[in-house]
Amino acid sequence: VVDSDRPERSKFRLTGKGVDQEPKGIFRINENTGSVSVTRTLDREVIAVYQLFVETTDVNGKTLEGPVPLEVIVIDQNDNRPIFREGPYIGHVMEGSPTEDVHEESFCLQSEDQKEDV
């Protein structure tokens, strides 16, 4: 967070889910520099987006500017690869089958995410 014209001795304050709302303490801000950091590993399957707010305050904690939204989007890293237990899978589609509704003529393969129980 950068505020080049903020008043001298003012401080940055961060609020929102992951800071002062459950799950608390995931994000923190350096009150002097505005640098936001993460205190532990994020998991997109648990929370995909954090909506935080940044404001500047005077030495008494009174808001001078803001709050300004800061959205943190957690990008998925495929830490839960699909597991296919029964393969190999073989399907057949008849030559000349209609393209509009192939679902009835083919098969559907679905993998379950261990965390989401899809």
Side-chain angles (χ1 to χ4, degrees):
V1 178
V2 177
D3 186 358
S4 56
D5 62 343
R6 70 185 175 105
E8 205 171 306
R9 297 182 58 208
S10 64
K11 298 188 181 300
F12 288 98
R13 179 169 42 200
L14 186 66
T15 59
K17 186 176 187 176
V19 182
D20 57 350
Q21 299 170 24
E22 291 298 332
K24 294 180 180 180
I26 295 175
F27 300 95
R28 66 178 173 212
I29 192 166
N30 181 307
E31 62 183 19
N32 298 311
T33 66
S35 176
V36 176
S37 57
V38 179
T39 63
R40 56 185 179 255
T41 304
L42 303 178
D43 188 342
R44 189 202 58 81
E45 282 89 7
V46 177
I47 299 176
V49 178
Y50 293 87
Q51 187 66 47
L52 309 178
F53 297 92
V54 179
E55 59 190 349
T56 54
T57 64
D58 64 15
V59 291
N60 298 317
K62 179 183 175 199
T63 300
L64 299 174
E65 291 185 58
V68 175
L70 172 63
E71 186 175 71
V72 178
I73 300 170
V74 182
I75 299 172
D76 189 28
Q77 183 175 6
N78 198 1
D79 55 346
N80 294 303
R81 298 181 191 276
I83 299 170
F84 300 101
R85 293 186 169 93
E86 297 175 20
Y89 299 94
I90 300 171
H92 301 279
V93 178
M94 297 296 293
E95 180 179 14
S97 293
T99 58
E100 295 80 39
D101 191 14
V102 224
H103 183 71
E104 290 179 15
E105 302 295 325
S106 62
F107 64 96
C108 180
L109 184 63
Q110 181 176 349
S111 174
E112 296 181 1
D113 189 317
Q114 293 174 356
K115 286 189 179 179
E116 294 178 0
D117 293 328
V118 175

